């Protein structure tokens, strides 16, 4: 009834511009879209997530030989931590174990380039944002340069992650400060930072431990595979490294030389060659007695005259 009174239902324009109508939607490059997917996956984190969840997360976004590097400046000087693929899941988990309840990355004015079979994303204005609920709600913004290398394939996983931290800020709500305005001890506690260079103490301790664990990956994998004692694993690894050091360098493989083919002679040529060889042999046999005749076998001239 209402439709009949008001006429046909008007068609409203869509809330977003379609590809064929109006302006095109802003283009989001594939590397940026992968970071968007990474942020979306991190939002699904809960306290019930175990190691399998983090292994699945890392396998989705990182290559099997991926390397992650975090550089920052602490009170005792600049630090640089580099970990391999096996330790990357625990790194992201340490951020949440250190008190964070949310984690995402904001990219501004990122640059994209291609190098061989790699897609490089270089963002000089990257911000890693973490939300902490303990001891009080705090928003930590860690700013720096993020350099990523993606494989140029269908999966487009990260092969190299390098985050160079420049500065960080910890933001508190004004209402919290107003509530504890008359409590000097609480204000003193609120003035203390809960992170160091944007990273919690739990994450920094894990990165320091990774510096020790990274060289021991070979020993731990050998112990897990062959069930050897730590001493035997160390002896085996040292012996294999010693063999590689004293072994002579492998000679470069030379391509085999191609054998030259002999040209086959025709029948006429073979016959002429055979005839010439036989004639040559006969002439040699006929001339051999003459050449072998010596002066000592000749009859003296005086004897010939007497017979006459």
């Amino acid at each position: 009834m209402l439709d009949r009174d008001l006429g046909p239902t008007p068609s409203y324009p869509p809330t977003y511009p379609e590809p064929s109508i109006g302006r095109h939607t802003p283009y989001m490059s594939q590397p940026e879209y992968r970071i968007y997917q990474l942020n979306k996956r991190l939002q699904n984190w809960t306290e019930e997530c175990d190691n399998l969840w983090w292994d699945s997360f890392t396998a989705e976004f990182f290559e099997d030989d991926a390397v992650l590097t975090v550089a920052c400046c602490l009170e005792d000087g600049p630090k640089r931590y580099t970990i391999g693929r096996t330790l990357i899941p625990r790194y992201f988990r340490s951020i949440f174990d250190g008190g964070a309840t949310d984690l995402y990355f904001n990219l501004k004015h990122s640059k994209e380039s291609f190098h061989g079979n790699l897609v490089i994303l270089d963002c000089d204005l990257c911000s890693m944002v973490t939300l902490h609920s303990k001891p009080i709600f705090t928003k930590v913004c860690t700013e720096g340069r993020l350099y990523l290398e993606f494989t140029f394939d269908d999966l487009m996983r990260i092969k190299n992650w390098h985050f160079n931290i420049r500065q960080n800020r910890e933001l508190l709500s004004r209402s919290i400060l107003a509530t504890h305005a008359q409590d000097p001890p609480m204000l003193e506690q609120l003035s203390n930072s809960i992170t160091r260079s944007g990273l919690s103490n739990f994450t920094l301790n894990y990165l320091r431990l990774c510096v020790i664990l990274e060289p021991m990956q070979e020993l731990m994998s050998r112990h897990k595979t062959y069930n050897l004692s730590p001493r035997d694993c160390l002896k085996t690894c040292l012996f294999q490294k010693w063999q590689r050091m004293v072994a002579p360098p492998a000679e470069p493989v030379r391509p085999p030389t191609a054998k030259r083919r002999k040209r086959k002679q025709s029948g006429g040529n073979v016959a002429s060659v055979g005839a010439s060889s036989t004639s040559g042999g006969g002439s040699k046999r006929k001339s051999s007695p003459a050449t072998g005749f010596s002066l000592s076998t000749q009859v003296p001239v005086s004897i010939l005259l007497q017979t006459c």
Side-chain angles (χ1 to χ4, degrees):
M1 188 66 180
L2 293 176
D3 291 343
R4 189 178 301 111
D5 295 340
L6 297 176
T9 304
S11 59
Y12 295 97
T15 57
Y16 59 90
E18 296 180 355
S20 59
I21 302 176
R23 295 185 302 172
H24 294 283
T25 56
Y27 171 75
M28 178 181 290
S29 64
Q30 192 68 18
E32 290 183 354
Y33 184 69
R34 289 296 289 168
I35 298 300
Y36 166 78
Q37 290 178 329
L38 185 142
N39 292 335
K40 192 174 181 181
R41 182 68 182 274
L42 289 174
Q43 289 179 358
N44 296 331
W45 172 86
T46 60
E47 294 183 356
E48 289 76 18
C49 292
D50 54 0
N51 291 332
L52 295 178
W53 190 92
W54 287 108
D55 290 339
S56 176
F57 162 80
T58 308
E60 181 179 354
F61 294 99
F62 288 88
E63 282 288 322
D64 296 336
D65 57 346
V67 177
L68 185 144
T69 302
V70 177
C72 59
C73 186
L74 300 178
E75 296 82 1
D76 53 348
K79 302 294 180 181
R80 181 189 179 96
Y81 305 100
T82 301
I83 59 178
R85 167 64 177 78
T86 55
L87 301 177
I88 290 177
R90 291 292 302 273
Y91 164 74
F92 283 96
R93 181 174 182 175
S94 67
I95 297 176
F96 290 89
D97 292 343
T101 57
D102 196 2
L103 167 65
Y104 57 92
F105 295 86
N106 286 332
L107 305 180
K108 294 182 180 180
H109 308 295
S110 59
K111 298 178 182 179
E112 181 182 340
S113 61
F114 295 87
H115 183 73
N117 60 343
L118 297 176
V119 182
I120 298 175
L121 179 69
D122 190 357
C123 183
D124 195 55
L125 299 176
C126 175
S127 178
M128 182 181 72
V129 181
T130 55
L131 302 180
H132 298 256
S133 58
K134 296 179 181 180
I136 200 169
F137 182 81
T138 308
K139 181 178 181 180
V140 181
C141 299
T142 307
E143 301 174 354
R145 178 186 178 185
L146 182 63
Y147 176 86
L148 302 178
E149 292 182 357
F150 295 85
T151 56
F152 189 57
D153 54 11
D154 296 336
L155 297 177
M156 202 165 186
R157 296 187 297 182
I158 300 172
K159 190 177 182 65
N160 186 10
W161 175 296
H162 187 103
F163 188 40
N164 189 4
I165 300 174
R166 285 194 296 263
Q167 61 180 355
N168 71 295
R169 294 174 297 168
E170 297 185 3
L171 308 178
L172 300 175
S173 176
R174 290 179 178 270
S175 59
I176 297 176
L177 297 177
T179 304
H180 302 282
Q182 305 299 327
D183 191 356
M186 188 62 182
L187 291 177
E188 182 67 21
Q189 181 180 356
L190 294 176
S191 63
N192 297 329
S193 300
I194 62 174
T195 62
R196 299 171 57 191
S197 190
L199 302 175
S200 64
N201 290 327
F202 194 92
T203 302
L204 287 174
N205 292 335
Y206 174 73
L207 291 175
R208 293 193 190 99
L209 185 62
C210 288
V211 176
I212 303 173
L213 292 178
E214 189 69 26
M216 299 176 61
Q217 287 296 310
E218 186 177 358
L219 295 176
M220 291 186 290
S221 62
R222 189 175 295 274
H223 170 71
K224 186 177 180 181
T225 305
Y226 301 104
N227 197 18
L228 298 175
S229 64
R231 185 181 295 273
D232 294 337
C233 293
L234 181 60
K235 288 182 179 180
T236 307
C237 293
L238 291 177
F239 179 73
Q240 290 182 353
K241 288 187 176 181
W242 176 79
Q243 281 184 329
R244 290 194 293 264
M245 291 174 60
V246 300
E251 296 182 357
V253 179
R254 298 180 179 179
T257 56
K259 295 182 179 180
R260 298 181 60 183
R261 291 185 176 182
K262 294 183 179 180
R263 299 181 62 182
K264 295 183 178 180
Q265 297 176 349
S266 59
N269 294 337
V270 174
S272 62
V273 172
S276 62
S277 61
T278 53
S279 62
S283 62
K284 287 182 180 179
R285 283 194 298 269
K286 291 178 182 179
S287 61
S288 58
T291 54
F293 187 77
S294 61
L295 294 176
S296 61
T297 59
Q298 295 180 1
V299 181
V301 178
S302 58
I303 297 175
L304 291 175
L305 291 176
Q306 289 178 3
T307 56
C308 295

